[in-house]
Amino acid sequence: MPRLAELLGKSDADAARLFAVFRQDTKNDAHVHVGDVHATDAEMALVLAKEQFTRRDACVNLWVAPYSKIAATSYDDAALFEHATDKSYRFGGSYREQQRITRPKRK
Amino acid sequence: MSLSTATFQPQVRDALAAYLIAVADDELIIGHRHSEWTGFAPDIESDVALSSIAQEEIGHARLFYERACDLTGGDADHVAFGRASAEFRNAVLTERPNGDWGYSMVRLFLYDRADHVRLDVLASGALRPLADLASTVRREEKYHLMFGEQWLRRLASATEASRGRMQQALDRAWPEALGMFDPVPGQEELDADIVPVPLAEQLLQWRLGVIGVLESVGLRLPAGKAEWTRGRIGRHSDDLGTLLDEMTSVWRSDPLAKW
C-alpha cells in the first residue's frame, strides 16, 4: 500500500510537517477533512488548525494526522472501485430507515 | 453587564475607572502590535492565528473601555483614540515594537500569562458585572496562552541560535513585564470585593507559572526591573507616541465621523 506522501510527490521530511485537519461539527457528526496546516509537530498543528478552521464556525473536536502516516490507494487503481455488474441490491434504498439516514441534512 | 447602576464612593469609582482603562489600554496596545504582523508572520497559519488574537485583544479592550465609560461618561472610541500618550495606562511592555518573531512570542507569552492571572482574580470578585466580563474574556484568552507557549517552547529548544535569540528576547521583555503588576493611581481604594487578590500576590502567582515554563526550556531568568518605566502612571517610552500617531491617524482625520 503506498503512502499518501509518495502519491503527492512529497519528501518524507515535507510530509512529516504537513498535517491533514479533520473537524467534527457536533458529537453526532463524523470528522471531516477540511484542509491542511504546516507545523513542526502534532501539538503545534492543533494550535494552528484551531484558528485556520474554526475561527468562523465553532466545532467540538479537531484531529490532525501527518501526511507521512497516511496510507492511500493509488489513482492507478481506480478500477478497483468500479462495479462490473449491477450492485443496486446493496443500496437498500427501499427501506425507510435507509432513506432517513441518506436524506440530505437540512442546514 | 453595565456598571452604571452600581453605586460607588467617588474615590473608588475613579480608581476603578483608572484600573479598567489600564486593562483596556494593555489589550488595545498589544492588540495593535500583534496586528502589525498581519501579512508578515513566518508562516501563513501563524499569520492568521496571530491576526485573530489581535482582533480578540482589541475586542476585549472595547469591553473594558465601555465599562470604564459607564463610570466616567464618554464613549469607548473617544477614550481609545482621543488621548495623548501620557494619558495611557498600559504597561510599557505592550507598546514596544515587535522586533523579531522571537521577541513577539516571548512578549505574548509573558503578557497573556499576566492577563490570565488578572482575569482569574477579577472573575472571582464580588462585583458581578466585572466578574462576568472577566470570565467571558478569559474564554478567548486560553487560546492565546496555548499559541504563545507552543511557539516559545519550539523556538527555545530548536537550535543553539534560536535559543540564544529567545534568551535575548526574554532579557529585554522581562523587566518590563513586571510592570504589568504596577498599581494604577488609587489602586488601594479597590478593596477585596473588586480585586480580591493584591497585585503583589498576583505577581508571585504569575512568576511561579512562567518560571516553570521558562526553566523547562532552558531559558535563564533575567534579574531586575526597568526602574524608569511606569506605564500605569502614564510614563511611557517614545514607542507609544509613534504607535498612537499611526493607530489614531484615521480617527483624528474626523473625530466626529460615524463608522
Side-chain angles (χ1 to χ4, degrees):
Chain A
M1 191 70 83
R3 291 181 306 132
L4 182 54
E6 288 161 21
L7 289 179
L8 299 175
K10 290 193 177 298
S11 71
D12 281 354
D14 283 350
R17 288 181 160 76
L18 184 62
F19 289 81
V21 179
F22 302 82
R23 58 168 278 163
Q24 186 187 30
D25 289 354
T26 76
K27 277 190 169 181
N28 293 324
D29 292 314
H31 286 72
V32 176
H33 182 212
V34 286
D36 307 324
V37 291
H38 294 92
T40 48
D41 51 68
E43 200 177 14
M44 193 66 168
L46 280 175
V47 168
L48 295 175
K50 187 262 172 194
E51 272 316 293
Q52 311 308 307
F53 298 107
T54 75
R55 68 195 296 268
R56 291 185 180 147
D57 298 318
C59 71
V60 294
N61 195 248
L62 281 181
W63 289 349
V64 292
Y67 271 70
S68 57
K69 300 283 189 196
I70 299 177
T73 58
S74 164
Y75 286 110
D76 297 338
D77 293 337
L80 201 62
F81 306 111
E82 284 168 14
H83 293 156
T85 57
D86 181 14
K87 297 287 192 299
S88 59
Y89 56 88
R90 289 181 180 168
F91 299 167
S94 56
Y95 293 103
R96 212 172 291 151
E97 185 61 9
Q98 173 80 348
Q99 287 169 351
R100 189 186 68 79
I101 291 169
T102 55
R103 190 188 310 144
K105 259 193 222 164
R106 251 185 256 156
K107 282 259 170 180
Chain B
M1 289 205 290
S2 172
L3 281 175
S4 19
T5 51
T7 49
F8 299 102
Q9 300 286 337
Q11 66 273 24
V12 175
R13 185 197 60 210
D14 292 348
L16 181 55
Y19 184 75
L20 293 170
I21 294 272
V23 176
D25 286 348
D26 279 348
E27 298 276 77
L28 177 67
I29 300 301
I30 200 151
H32 183 79
R33 284 299 185 204
H34 291 339
S35 79
E36 292 176 341
W37 274 111
T38 299
F40 299 97
D43 55 55
I44 185 75
E45 290 89 343
S46 298
D47 198 300
V48 171
L50 190 55
S51 301
S52 292
I53 292 174
Q55 290 174 334
E56 285 160 11
E57 298 294 30
I58 292 168
H60 300 167
R62 162 169 287 279
L63 294 172
F64 281 102
Y65 283 132
E66 284 170 354
R67 296 296 74 78
C69 291
D70 292 344
L71 301 168
T72 58
D75 83 329
D77 275 358
H78 215 95
V79 179
F81 295 122
R83 285 174 302 153
S85 171
E87 295 170 275
F88 272 77
R89 302 268 181 239
N90 59 288
V92 170
L93 176 76
T94 61
E95 72 205 30
R96 292 300 190 189
N98 286 329
D100 62 11
W101 184 253
Y103 174 77
S104 291
M105 291 301 101
V106 166
R107 169 170 60 183
L108 187 149
F109 169 73
L110 296 175
Y111 173 80
D112 276 314
R113 282 282 188 147
D115 193 32
H116 198 74
V117 170
R118 173 167 66 192
L119 290 171
D120 273 347
V121 168
L122 291 179
S124 68
L127 193 57
R128 253 344 256 269
L130 193 52
D132 290 347
L133 170 61
S135 48
T136 304
V137 165
R138 190 170 51 176
R139 280 209 304 274
E140 284 185 340
E141 292 290 348
K142 192 175 174 193
Y143 180 72
H144 305 182
L145 285 179
M146 283 169 64
F147 183 81
E149 185 173 330
Q150 294 303 334
W151 265 108
L152 176 86
R153 285 185 178 282
R154 276 155 190 79
L155 292 176
S157 56
T159 65
E160 205 41 49
S162 75
R163 207 199 60 76
R165 280 173 67 172
M166 290 304 270
Q167 183 64 55
Q168 280 177 16
L170 179 62
D171 293 347
R172 252 175 65 214
W174 180 263
E176 293 179 347
L178 299 173
M180 287 287 295
F181 299 96
D182 281 345
V184 295
Q187 179 94 32
E188 64 283 354
E189 302 287 347
L190 302 177
D191 57 19
D193 278 352
I194 300 173
V195 185
V197 180
L199 288 170
E201 205 178 315
Q202 293 184 33
L203 173 62
L204 281 178
Q205 277 181 23
W206 169 80
R207 262 184 79 105
L208 210 63
V210 296
I211 286 174
V213 176
L214 296 174
E215 285 183 344
S216 74
V217 293
L219 293 175
R220 290 184 318 277
L221 208 61
K225 174 166 181 179
E227 278 309 321
W228 69 271
T229 69
R230 284 281 182 272
R232 297 281 186 251
I233 56 168
R235 210 183 300 167
H236 292 283
S237 67
D238 292 341
D239 295 326
L240 181 62
T242 313
L243 181 153
L244 292 177
D245 277 350
E246 186 184 315
M247 185 179 77
T248 65
S249 61
V250 174
W251 184 84
R252 279 185 288 111
S253 68
D254 184 357
L256 298 176
K258 292 274 178 224
W259 297 95

